Amino acid sequence: MSDGHFRGDPRPPMRFLDLLPAGRVRTGLVARDKPGLLEHLAQLLADAGDVGPVHAALAARERLGTTGLGHGVAIPHGRSAAIGEARGAFVRLAAPIDFGADDGQPVDLVAALVVPVHFTDQHLKLLGELAELFSDPAITRALRAAPDDAGLRAALAAPRG
Protein backbone atom coordinates (compact mmCIF):
# COMPACT_ATOMS: atom_id res chain seq x y z
CA MET A 1 0.00 0.00 0.00
CA SER A 2 1.21 3.49 -0.71
CA ASP A 3 0.40 5.00 2.67
CA GLY A 4 3.32 3.43 4.48
CA HIS A 5 1.22 0.77 6.22
CA PHE A 6 0.97 -2.70 4.77
CA ARG A 7 -1.76 -5.25 5.36
CA GLY A 8 -0.57 -7.68 7.97
CA ASP A 9 2.01 -5.19 9.22
CA PRO A 10 2.14 -5.57 13.03
CA ARG A 11 2.97 -1.88 13.50
CA PRO A 12 0.04 0.36 14.38
CA PRO A 13 -0.98 2.97 11.79
CA MET A 14 0.70 6.35 12.01
CA ARG A 15 -0.94 8.85 14.34
CA PHE A 16 -0.66 12.65 14.30
CA LEU A 17 1.25 12.59 17.58
CA ASP A 18 3.89 10.39 15.89
CA LEU A 19 4.61 13.32 13.54
CA LEU A 20 4.81 15.91 16.29
CA PRO A 21 8.17 16.37 18.01
CA ALA A 22 8.21 18.87 20.85
CA GLY A 23 9.93 21.44 18.63
CA ARG A 24 6.86 21.69 16.41
CA VAL A 25 4.43 22.52 19.23
CA ARG A 26 3.95 26.18 20.12
CA THR A 27 1.78 28.19 22.47
CA GLY A 28 1.34 31.91 22.08
CA LEU A 29 2.25 32.02 18.38
CA VAL A 30 1.62 35.49 16.97
CA ALA A 31 0.07 35.63 13.51
CA ARG A 32 -1.80 38.65 12.18
CA ASP A 33 -3.71 36.81 9.47
CA LYS A 34 -4.10 33.53 7.60
CA PRO A 35 -1.20 34.12 5.14
CA GLY A 36 1.10 34.97 8.03
CA LEU A 37 0.02 31.87 9.92
CA LEU A 38 0.63 29.65 6.89
CA GLU A 39 4.15 31.10 6.64
CA HIS A 40 4.85 30.32 10.33
CA LEU A 41 3.50 26.79 9.90
CA ALA A 42 5.61 26.20 6.78
CA GLN A 43 8.71 27.25 8.72
CA LEU A 44 7.88 24.78 11.51
CA LEU A 45 7.11 21.96 9.09
CA ALA A 46 10.15 22.54 6.86
CA ASP A 47 12.52 21.48 9.67
CA ALA A 48 15.26 23.91 8.57
CA GLY A 49 14.79 22.78 4.97
CA ASP A 50 13.34 24.70 2.07
CA VAL A 51 10.19 26.45 3.32
CA GLY A 52 8.93 27.23 -0.20
CA PRO A 53 7.51 23.84 -1.20
CA VAL A 54 5.85 23.32 2.19
CA HIS A 55 4.29 26.79 2.10
CA ALA A 56 3.14 26.20 -1.49
CA ALA A 57 1.45 22.91 -0.48
CA LEU A 58 -0.41 24.54 2.43
CA ALA A 59 -1.44 27.58 0.40
CA ALA A 60 -2.57 25.49 -2.59
CA ARG A 61 -4.86 23.40 -0.40
CA GLU A 62 -6.25 26.49 1.32
CA ARG A 63 -7.14 28.02 -2.06
CA LEU A 64 -9.44 25.02 -2.66
CA GLY A 65 -11.46 25.96 0.43
CA THR A 66 -10.86 26.77 4.04
CA THR A 67 -9.51 24.12 6.36
CA GLY A 68 -11.14 25.92 9.28
CA LEU A 69 -13.30 23.27 10.98
CA GLY A 70 -15.23 25.67 13.17
CA HIS A 71 -15.21 26.16 16.95
CA GLY A 72 -11.85 27.94 16.68
CA VAL A 73 -9.98 25.01 15.08
CA ALA A 74 -8.20 24.72 11.72
CA ILE A 75 -6.26 21.91 10.05
CA PRO A 76 -4.19 23.38 7.22
CA HIS A 77 -2.61 20.54 5.28
CA GLY A 78 -1.05 19.65 1.98
CA ARG A 79 0.93 17.15 -0.01
CA SER A 80 4.37 17.87 -1.44
CA ALA A 81 6.81 15.97 -3.64
CA ALA A 82 9.61 17.93 -1.92
CA ILE A 83 9.38 16.04 1.38
CA GLY A 84 10.13 12.41 2.11
CA GLU A 85 8.13 11.89 5.30
CA ALA A 86 4.93 13.14 6.88
CA ARG A 87 5.31 16.05 9.30
CA GLY A 88 2.96 17.70 11.76
CA ALA A 89 2.89 20.88 13.82
CA PHE A 90 0.46 22.18 16.41
CA VAL A 91 0.08 25.78 17.55
CA ARG A 92 -2.15 27.74 19.85
CA LEU A 93 -2.29 31.34 18.71
CA ALA A 94 -1.72 34.25 21.08
CA ALA A 95 -4.87 35.85 19.63
CA PRO A 96 -7.46 34.22 17.34
CA ILE A 97 -7.46 35.14 13.64
CA ASP A 98 -10.04 34.94 10.89
CA PHE A 99 -9.54 31.71 8.96
CA GLY A 100 -12.72 31.75 6.91
CA ALA A 101 -14.33 28.92 8.87
CA ASP A 102 -17.96 28.20 7.97
CA ASP A 103 -19.14 29.11 11.48
CA GLY A 104 -17.45 32.51 11.25
CA GLN A 105 -15.46 31.97 14.46
CA PRO A 106 -11.82 33.01 14.50
CA VAL A 107 -9.22 30.27 14.91
CA ASP A 108 -6.80 29.81 17.80
CA LEU A 109 -6.01 26.06 17.66
CA VAL A 110 -4.17 24.90 14.55
CA ALA A 111 -2.94 21.44 13.61
CA ALA A 112 -0.85 21.50 10.43
CA LEU A 113 0.15 18.54 8.32
CA VAL A 114 2.27 18.06 5.22
CA VAL A 115 2.80 14.64 3.67
CA PRO A 116 4.60 13.23 0.63
CA VAL A 117 2.46 13.10 -2.50
CA HIS A 118 2.14 9.29 -2.35
CA PHE A 119 0.68 9.32 1.21
CA THR A 120 -2.92 9.66 -0.03
CA ASP A 121 -4.55 7.06 2.25
CA GLN A 122 -2.46 7.93 5.30
CA HIS A 123 -3.13 11.64 4.73
CA LEU A 124 -6.88 11.04 4.87
CA LYS A 125 -6.56 8.86 7.99
CA LEU A 126 -4.55 11.55 9.77
CA LEU A 127 -7.09 14.23 8.84
CA GLY A 128 -9.90 12.00 10.09
CA GLU A 129 -8.06 11.47 13.37
CA LEU A 130 -7.65 15.24 13.81
CA ALA A 131 -11.27 16.00 12.94
CA GLU A 132 -12.43 13.45 15.50
CA LEU A 133 -10.03 14.76 18.13
CA PHE A 134 -11.15 18.36 17.72
CA SER A 135 -14.85 17.49 17.74
CA ASP A 136 -14.52 16.82 21.49
CA PRO A 137 -15.09 20.05 23.48
CA ALA A 138 -13.20 18.63 26.48
CA ILE A 139 -10.09 18.24 24.35
CA THR A 140 -10.27 21.73 22.90
CA ARG A 141 -10.78 23.13 26.42
CA ALA A 142 -7.68 21.25 27.63
CA LEU A 143 -5.65 22.55 24.68
CA ARG A 144 -6.74 26.12 25.38
CA ALA A 145 -5.91 25.74 29.08
CA ALA A 146 -2.42 24.23 28.61
CA PRO A 147 0.14 26.51 30.29
CA ASP A 148 3.04 26.04 27.84
CA ASP A 149 4.38 24.07 24.86
CA ALA A 150 4.98 20.92 26.92
CA GLY A 151 1.49 21.13 28.44
CA LEU A 152 -0.01 21.58 25.00
CA ARG A 153 1.72 18.47 23.68
CA ALA A 154 0.71 16.55 26.82
CA ALA A 155 -2.93 17.54 26.26
CA LEU A 156 -2.69 16.20 22.70
CA ALA A 157 -1.14 12.96 23.98
CA ALA A 158 -3.62 12.40 26.83
CA PRO A 159 -5.44 9.08 26.64
CA ARG A 160 -8.96 9.30 25.27
CA GLY A 161 -11.76 7.24 26.55
Side-chain angles (χ1 to χ4, degrees), residues 88-112:
F90 190 85
V91 300
R92 185 178 70 211
L93 298 176
I97 62 167
D98 178 30
F99 210 82
D102 287 343
D103 68 356
Q105 289 189 31
V107 162
D108 65 336
L109 297 176
V110 183

Side-chain angles (χ1 to χ4, degrees), residues 32-57:
R32 292 182 19 215
D33 53 22
K34 185 194 277 194
L37 175 59
L38 293 179
E39 183 64 36
H40 282 294
L41 294 171
Q43 289 171 6
L44 282 174
L45 291 167
D47 280 342
D50 187 2
V51 173
V54 175
H55 184 267

Side-chain angles (χ1 to χ4, degrees), residues 54-67:
V54 175
H55 184 267
L58 296 175
R61 169 57 188 87
E62 209 58 42
R63 282 191 298 275
L64 297 175
T66 185
T67 56

